[in-house]
């Protein structure tokens, strides 16, 4: 892993942290805007500008991209609460394909995996992942 990817992971993590803090601080538009900027710059550094553009502007992901970027613009404009909900919808549409992969990875971890493989939790997570993969 080169230094750009390490920095990108740090920026993405910081962006998610700022967005979480922005929501916890009753939709503080400054924290949410900083989180959005850090998250997007981190994604660009991790996978590169060309691949990021290809990912966001695929024909089948147009609705998710429009909602995600529109939500970011709403947050930057000052309508933080509406913007974060629109952005969240777009985020689920864009990155919903990764949920089964992340769930499979978490199920292979020592402590978390034993919890996620319990019958009640497994049936719930399987239903959630199946819903996330359906096109909207």
């Amino acid at each position: 892993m080169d230094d750009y990817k390490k920095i990108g992971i740090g920026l993405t993590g910081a962006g998610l942290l700022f967005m979480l803090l922005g929501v916890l601080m009753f939709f503080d538009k400054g924290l949410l805007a900083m989180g959005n900027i850090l998250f997007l710059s981190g994604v660009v550094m991790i996978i590169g500008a060309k691949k990021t553009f290809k990912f966001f502007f695929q024909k089948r992901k147009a609705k998710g991209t429009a909602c995600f970027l529109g939500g970011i613009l709403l947050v930057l404009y000052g309508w933080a609460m509406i913007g974060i909900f629109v952005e969240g919808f777009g985020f689920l549409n864009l990155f919903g394909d990764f949920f089964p992969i992340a769930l499979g990875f978490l199920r292979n971890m020592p402590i978390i995996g034993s919890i996620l493989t319990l019958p009640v939790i497994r049936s719930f997570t399987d239903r959630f992942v199946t819903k996330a993969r359906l096109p909207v």
Side-chain angles (χ1 to χ4, degrees), residues 30-85:
L31 288 172
L32 291 172
M34 183 62 73
N36 286 327
I37 293 168
L38 289 173
F39 178 78
L40 283 178
S41 61
V43 169
V44 170
M45 289 191 77
I46 291 171
I47 63 175
K50 193 174 191 178
K51 287 183 181 178
T52 302
F53 185 81
K54 283 184 178 181
F55 175 78
F56 278 102
F57 294 103
Q58 295 175 11
K59 192 172 189 174
R60 66 182 180 90
K61 294 186 179 188
K63 187 190 296 184
T65 300
C67 288
F68 186 71
L69 296 178
I72 290 174
L73 289 175
L74 286 172
V75 168
L76 291 175
Y77 187 68
W79 296 5
M81 190 176 293
I82 296 169
I84 203 70
F85 288 120

Side-chain angles (χ1 to χ4, degrees), residues 2-52:
D2 62 346
D3 290 336
Y4 287 112
K5 289 186 181 183
K6 290 178 186 176
I7 293 170
I9 290 171
L11 287 174
T12 304
L16 292 173
L17 177 69
F18 273 88
M19 283 193 268
L20 176 69
L21 287 174
V23 170
L24 291 176
M25 298 290 177
F26 301 111
F27 297 99
D28 181 57
K29 55 187 161 193
L31 288 172
L32 291 172
M34 183 62 73
N36 286 327
I37 293 168
L38 289 173
F39 178 78
L40 283 178
S41 61
V43 169
V44 170
M45 289 191 77
I46 291 171
I47 63 175
K50 193 174 191 178
K51 287 183 181 178
T52 302

